[in-house]
Amino acid sequence: MLVIVLENAPDRLRGRLAVWLLEVRAGVYVGDYSVKVREMIIQNIVEGLEEGNAVILWKCPNEAGFDFITLGENRRIPKEMDGIKLISFLPDTTN
């Protein structure tokens, strides 16, 4: 299982992802692919994300049952603690 959530992504990237994945809500894509195809999809996101951001989750044989990465500017940063990946929040700098 592969889940991708995009924010502020260019339309051309969203259209490209719609070729491989089902867009169940605006900016939320799901599918089930091999590791090789998943890596190709991630590479397309890296190349086309521009000013946007993304979180990509996939099924993985670990304690949580999944793994994830984040791409682009985002306040949520993955941190590994005791072998479990959690989310750390950066301070809000909009003010």
Side-chain angles (χ1 to χ4, degrees), residues 23-51:
E23 187 173 14
V24 294
R25 286 193 83 152
V28 180
Y29 300 86
V30 296
D32 193 13
Y33 288 101
S34 68
V35 173
K36 187 173 183 174
V37 174
R38 179 181 75 221
E39 290 172 353
M40 180 271 303
I41 291 171
I42 291 172
Q43 186 59 37
N44 274 272
I45 295 170
V46 168
E47 292 171 0
L49 194 55
E50 295 178 6
E51 300 296 318

